[in-house]
Amino acid sequence: MLHGAIERHAAPPAPQKLCFFFNAQLHHVYHAMPLAVEMARDRRFAVDIVALTHEHLALARDIAARHGAMNMRFVLIEGKGLSALTRLVGGATPPKLAGLLAARRQLSAYDAIVVPERTSLLLRHAGLRRTCFIHTCHGAGDRAVGYDRRIRHFDFVLLAGEKQRRRMLERALIREGHYAVVGYGKFDLTCDRPPLPLFAQERPVVLYNPHFSRKLSSWGEMGLDVIRQFARDDRFNLIVAPHIRMYDDRRRRERAERELAEFAALPHIHVDLGSAASVDMSYTRMASLYLGDVSSQIYEFVVKPRPCLFLDAHGASWQDNPNYRHWQYGPVHDNCEGITDKVALAMETHAAYLGAQRQGVADTFDCEARGSSERAGRAVADFLTYRAGQRDVTRLMPANRTSGPFARGGKLIHE
């Protein structure tokens, strides 16, 4: 009888308001926009892209236009105080807490908020207790930081593959009915991008991609020495593209660009300290060899198996350590002496690491004929539709009803 009453009297439901919120560095856009593009095609949802900088919105607009997703709004969170604080700290984006405070009122209007980072969960303590929070993750690497305890507080989590699913279940970060393994949406946005013509001469291209964390990175101890050796060696073209967070501070970035200008002027060296090209897989797709330390970008590179070489500048206990699984994909060196010869040798001996790379990719990315974006869109749409229906039925349910399929503790979709 209850279902009949709902069907006879309920008006057509209004679209659920869905926000994709970007309050961190530019690379996060590529980890949530695949889902935004897909959800914008579903009339059950009204999609807004909300960001703290014009740069983020410009990139999101470009992605939406290239993939034919025109049915979405783009909203900039701004204010004199926020702009002044951003200039004061010198960051490319406003400080996260200040950005959340500025965006809180606007974000409270949404049924669900999709984020690739975790700090936005603080909004739950700022009045957004009924809002659904969906996490896309931002990368599919091995480091422990990718399995942050805060993930358990999301209502729904999208995972790239079995590795993430297994490790998150082991840590009780996800629960049945509240996650979906959908593959890696970033591939859907970048697979059709043509390679950039960076170098005048065709040579093997080495991508040097050090991490931003001083405790984990090879940059501080070895970075300049690596570049100097490639500058003297004309066997290779070198792309120097540290993690975008390395020079998120505008003043530090400008200073570093001045210090590296002599190398960037060479025809076989390209330096990029934080452009969109450093995060859209342009470099991982064109490179012949990956040179780095612990960045999750290694998986965006070895999805097409190729030679790798890793620099251990921090004396890591990496053997049999799941946080360093990617160091099985190529030789590991604790110094950069003779780095160009080591690179040449890594290319010659790549066959020894091919099996480990293929196994790692299969465990990291769940691949199907359907694109990841489509799979993610269907999973999120099903979850949000069920969640809305559960709320409607609960609102109409007699006060003394404590059991049944829509009661608390009832079985959720996907379980």
Side-chain angles (χ1 to χ4, degrees), residues 299-321:
Y299 282 99
E300 297 177 6
F301 177 80
V302 296
V303 69
K304 175 185 175 183
R306 284 163 287 172
C308 302
L309 189 152
F310 302 99
L311 296 173
D312 178 6
H314 49 283
S317 299
W318 63 272
Q319 290 89 347
D320 300 318
N321 185 337

Side-chain angles (χ1 to χ4, degrees), residues 268-279:
H268 65 297
I269 294 182
H270 177 77
V271 177
D272 186 338
L273 301 185
S275 79
S278 72
V279 296

Side-chain angles (χ1 to χ4, degrees), residues 12 30 43 174 197 294 395:
Y30 280 99
R43 293 184 179 181
I174 54 176
V294 297
R395 192 162 52 244

Side-chain angles (χ1 to χ4, degrees), residues 15-31:
Q16 291 193 58
K17 297 178 68 177
L18 187 55
C19 167
F20 288 77
F21 181 49
F22 298 110
N23 69 330
Q25 289 74 25
L26 199 63
H27 63 301
H28 285 202
V29 174
Y30 280 99
H31 294 287

